[in-house]
Amino acid sequence: MPHSSAGSVDSVTERTFPTRVLQATKPVLIQFWAPWCGPCIRVTPIVEQLAAEHADTLDVVKVHVDEEPELAIRHRITSIPAFVVYADGAPVQSWTGAAPKSVLAHNLAPYLG
């Protein structure tokens, strides 16, 4: 499936999760969010910047927790925004909370090749 334009982050559903995340050939950052979550809205442009800057080495997707509760439950998401990094089909790191770009980049550094 071709990638959408640079800087945009595709939504993942229960149906597309296996293909986009579990079978991905590069690390995947998942942002768990909801439109009513102020910190989620504030951190989204930062996540989109990182997605554009690291498109060659990192795939970035988002999960709307109200529309995909099973994915949120499976990842034990209790607070949003929450982030999970997958590498080789398995979760390797996670954290919660909006953070400045420098913190997000630091957390992702091991996966950016």
Side-chain angles (χ1 to χ4, degrees):
M1 185 167 109
H3 245 29
S4 51
S5 65
S8 70
V9 175
D10 295 336
S11 291
V12 174
T13 64
E14 187 80 37
R15 188 177 60 77
T16 60
F17 187 85
T19 308
R20 285 303 302 273
V21 178
L22 300 181
Q23 298 168 18
T25 56
K26 54 189 171 183
V28 180
L29 171 65
I30 308 168
Q31 176 187 2
F32 289 87
W33 75 289
W36 47 261
C37 165
C40 298
I41 302 306
R42 287 194 296 280
V43 78
T44 292
I46 298 169
V47 173
E48 291 173 347
Q49 280 181 353
L50 289 166
E53 292 169 9
H54 301 286
D56 293 343
T57 54
L58 180 73
D59 197 9
V60 181
V61 297
K62 60 187 175 184
V63 172
H64 186 314
V65 296
D66 291 340
E67 294 178 356
E68 299 296 331
E70 290 300 317
L71 285 175
I73 291 167
R74 188 178 323 150
H75 290 89
R76 296 181 177 89
I77 303 303
T78 57
S79 176
I80 55 175
F83 299 89
V84 178
V85 178
Y86 268 75
D88 299 319
V92 291
Q93 185 177 359
S94 63
W95 67 91
T96 303
K101 185 176 179 182
S102 59
V103 173
L104 293 176
H106 174 79
N107 289 348
L108 292 170
Y111 314 105
L112 298 179

